Amino acid sequence: MPSNARDGVHSQATIEADVVVVGAGLSGLVAAAQAYAHGKRVAVLDQEPPVSVGGQAHWSFGGLFLVDSPEQRRLGVKDSPELALNDWLASAGFDRSEDSWARRWAEAYVDFAAGEKRRWLSALGIRIFPLVQWAERGGYGPQGHGNTVPRFHVTWGTGPGVVQPFLAKVNEGVARGRIAFHFRHRASHMTTTAGRVTGVGGEILEASGAGRGEASSRTAVGRFEASAGAIIVTTGGIGGNHAMVRRQWPGGNAPEHLLSGVPASVDGGFLAAAGAAGGKLINGDRMWHYPEGIHNHSPVWPSHGIRILPGPSALWIDATGRQLPAPLFPGFDSLGALRHILASGHGHSWFVCNRTIALKEFALSGSEQNPDLTGKDIRLLASRLNPGGDSPLRIFLDHGVDFLQAATATELAGKMNSLTGSALIDPGLLDSLVQDRDRQVASGLGKDPQLAAIRAARRFATDKIMRVAPPHRLTDPQHGPLVAVRLSVLTRKSLGGLQTDLRSRVLGVSGDPVPGLYAAGEAAGFGGGGIHGYRALEGTFLGGCLFSGRAAGRDAAASV
């Protein structure tokens, strides 16, 4: 980066490299590491300060979708590539002509997840927590959405543990003078020469002392132009840009109140520039937002929300107190639950349970909310088995604005209405729902499909050990006061993006590759402009960054 002029304004800066990567998140680091490994000079641009390298992946829980893994087999899980692909296609629901490449990406990715992926990550030093989790359980029958078996593998070290080996490789390239980071460089346009994308330009932003994830200054102090034989776009999605999220919301019925599961820098600002350079943007209306968001008691970025990863035992009711229908139990179908909740005309819903269920079954998504896994602290990890111990969840339970506790359902309903400033929850109806649920438990058998799902879940070792409480009466005084958690919609991932072929080359409207232009990660819909279709099976976002970033880096290097 050029030095400051006397008046504090940068002069025009020129950057030259074989490959330019726009975005220093996980997919950008993977692409840069691959291009460097193939002998190329690489420039990595990012609008944020150096402290935010790694992007959203740093904040993630580190979940990885693997198929027929040693961890699954040790737990008695019987998985196969065929079963996983069936689940993926049933969940994706590909139904558009432009989904053809996305489907090819899905087939290739499942094959990768069933074979090379784990070996590759293991060789890089990435280790997997042995207790596989079961996300997106579905419940619509054998041909419906959901994971037939548990496939959510948590990285030992969470998101930072995934980022570290790729960042280390890039830093090696920096030390050898083959890779250069250019932070505070906000790309805004591309340059095309003789039909080939050959450069990218934009503004140099003033230095910022903002911490990781914090909003940084957008004051420009200069401009830059970068030229290369290949440009790789890895700028992420739009989840921090609520105005864009609302514009692209299917049906236009975005809730009035949204929490952000990603920093404000995830603004989608460069996607239009890639489109102007000839890239085809597709599936913008497909997004993956969570209905189980809570306000972070110590926010880092604007409207900072955290997702609850729930077990199946809480009663899930909409804003008016009506229980969500089967199979919309906690942890079964995020998109289905989101659609149902918003159809009520309100943007929030509630989990109702008791303290035992909350402490046993509620996990918090994100590296910062899981210090035991992130810090690879076995002693701290063991404390999860002690519901009375201190934990990030307990801090939320006792101090979070969205968490309420009461001795009776009637008292709880009053607190719920007070929190929302409404009278939407009928105390008598909530008490009746809780009592009817308790009668089903007391019967020992029952007709409640949610209780059947709970009992089935406890047949799986991970759930029985750490994720699903034994069925019991919600009002049993031994299990503590009743708990209600207000849930808001949490923005997270774009499922659409730049359409790419299996080499991560960006395709134009004609269907042919745009020469010199590549995309990976969320900017490419994690591959093909939408590898997930309408629904994600979870653990597939980091993996999509790895898979598409690797392809982009390799092919870009080979092209120059």
Side-chain angles (χ1 to χ4, degrees):
M1 183 180 295
S3 60
N4 285 345
R6 185 170 300 175
D7 62 1
V9 177
H10 288 295
S11 59
Q12 179 80 21
T14 301
I15 300 166
E16 294 183 357
D18 298 317
V19 176
V20 167
V21 178
V22 187
L26 178 60
S27 57
L29 295 176
V30 174
Q34 289 292 318
Y36 159 67
H38 285 75
K40 304 304 176 182
R41 294 177 301 114
V42 184
V44 181
L45 314 178
D46 197 279
Q47 65 183 355
E48 295 306 298
V51 70
S52 288
V53 69
Q56 294 180 62
H58 171 88
W59 298 99
S60 77
F61 195 28
L64 296 171
F65 178 93
L66 295 172
V67 177
D68 192 26
S69 69
E71 291 77 18
Q72 287 175 299
R73 293 193 293 271
R74 281 194 290 269
L75 292 168
V77 174
K78 299 178 181 178
D79 201 5
S80 70
E82 295 78 17
L83 182 62
L85 183 59
N86 284 343
D87 285 350
W88 190 297
L89 296 179
S91 300
F94 295 127
D95 60 0
R96 298 173 179 174
S97 59
E98 57 264 41
D99 286 336
S100 58
W101 277 109
R103 181 178 178 125
R104 293 188 208 181
W105 271 94
E107 293 168 349
Y109 182 73
V110 169
D111 183 66
F112 175 63
E116 184 186 2
K117 180 179 179 181
R118 192 183 183 284
R119 295 191 298 272
W120 179 48
L121 296 178
S122 180
L124 291 168
I126 293 175
R127 300 293 178 257
I128 303 297
F129 183 61
L131 295 179
V132 184
Q133 308 290 312
W134 199 345
E136 288 295 301
R137 302 177 190 226
Y140 297 97
Q143 295 182 317
H145 162 66
N147 285 295
T148 300
V149 298
R151 299 189 177 105
F152 189 88
H153 298 65
V154 178
T155 303
W156 188 231
T158 65
V162 179
V163 171
Q164 191 279 327
F166 300 101
L167 179 57
K169 189 67 174 178
V170 171
N171 282 336
E172 174 194 302
V174 172
R176 293 183 175 180
R178 304 296 294 176
I179 298 179
F181 275 119
H182 299 273
F183 294 105
R184 305 299 285 156
H185 281 54
R186 181 173 62 182
S188 61
H189 65 272
M190 289 186 176
T191 303
T192 301
T193 305
R196 182 181 182 88
V197 175
T198 55
V200 59
E203 298 172 321
I204 301 172
L205 305 179
E206 67 179 355
S208 172
R212 181 184 289 275
E214 295 177 355
S216 62
S217 167
R218 290 295 179 258
T219 300
V221 294
R223 299 195 61 79
F224 75 91
E225 293 291 336
S227 60
I231 309 295
I232 305 176
V233 179
T234 59
T235 51
I238 68 171
N241 185 339
H242 288 188
M244 189 174 291
V245 168
R246 293 179 190 283
R247 285 197 300 271
Q248 295 185 183
W249 198 280
N253 64 334
E256 180 178 347
H257 176 64
L258 292 169
L259 294 178
S260 286
V262 296
S265 57
V266 185
D267 56 18
F270 192 63
L271 292 175
K280 184 178 180 182
L281 286 161
I282 61 173
N283 298 324
D285 61 326
R286 292 179 181 169
M287 295 177 280
W288 192 246
H289 305 312
Y290 293 113
E292 312 104 329
I294 55 174
H295 294 78
N296 191 344
H297 58 74
S298 301
V300 177
W301 54 78
S303 302
H304 188 173
I306 300 293
R307 183 198 177 197
I308 291 180
L309 301 170
S313 298
L315 293 172
W316 199 345
I317 63 175
D318 67 20
T320 66
R322 294 179 175 84
Q323 186 177 11
L324 272 61
L328 300 181
F329 312 130
F332 277 64
D333 178 8
S334 294
L335 181 60
L338 178 63
R339 288 172 171 171
H340 183 88
I341 290 163
L342 296 185
S344 73
H346 303 276
H348 72 278
S349 62
W350 300 89
F351 283 155
V352 174
C353 57
N354 57 33
R355 194 172 177 90
T356 292
I357 290 172
L359 289 172
K360 175 82 170 182
E361 299 196 5
F362 290 174
L364 300 173
S365 181
S367 57
E368 80 281 21
Q369 302 300 331
N370 294 275
D372 49 357
L373 292 164
T374 302
K376 304 180 182 180
D377 188 328
I378 295 176
R379 181 175 296 181
L380 188 58
L381 179 65
S383 69
R384 286 188 183 233
L385 302 179
N386 176 19
D390 193 17
S391 68
L393 176 61
R394 184 160 185 167
I395 294 173
F396 272 96
L397 185 60
D398 292 336
H399 303 291
V401 66
D402 297 300
F403 289 76
L404 305 171
Q405 301 181 58
T408 68
T410 299
E411 180 187 355
L412 190 65
K415 290 186 175 183
M416 294 161 74
N417 286 333
S418 178
L419 181 62
T420 60
S422 69
L424 292 171
I425 304 296
D426 184 308
L429 291 179
L430 181 63
D431 181 70
S432 177
L433 176 60
V434 171
Q435 295 298 334
D436 287 344
R437 165 68 173 272
D438 282 358
R439 292 188 188 98
Q440 290 292 306
V441 174
S443 75
L445 293 172
K447 61 184 180 181
D448 184 349
Q450 185 172 5
L451 285 174
I454 293 167
R455 292 177 177 126
R458 283 182 55 81
R459 293 170 53 199
F460 174 52
T462 299
D463 282 345
K464 187 171 184 178
I465 293 169
M466 62 182 299
R467 294 292 287 134
V468 184
H472 61 272
R473 291 185 298 112
L474 295 180
T475 55
D476 186 335
Q478 295 184 18
H479 293 284
L482 291 172
V483 173
V485 186
R486 180 182 60 181
L487 307 171
S488 302
V489 177
L490 181 74
T491 65
R492 185 62 66 84
K493 296 296 182 186
S494 308
L495 297 188
L498 291 162
Q499 190 175 39
T500 57
D501 64 13
L502 291 177
R503 293 157 61 180
S504 286
R505 298 181 300 179
V506 173
L507 304 179
V509 176
S510 67
D512 295 322
V514 178
L517 185 57
Y518 294 80
E522 194 171 353
F526 302 95
I531 190 174
H532 298 95
Y534 291 94
R535 283 179 168 92
L537 289 176
E538 294 290 6
T540 55
F541 299 126
L542 292 180
C545 289
L546 297 171
F547 191 49
S548 61
R550 189 176 74 158
R554 288 179 175 179
D555 203 78
S559 73
V560 297

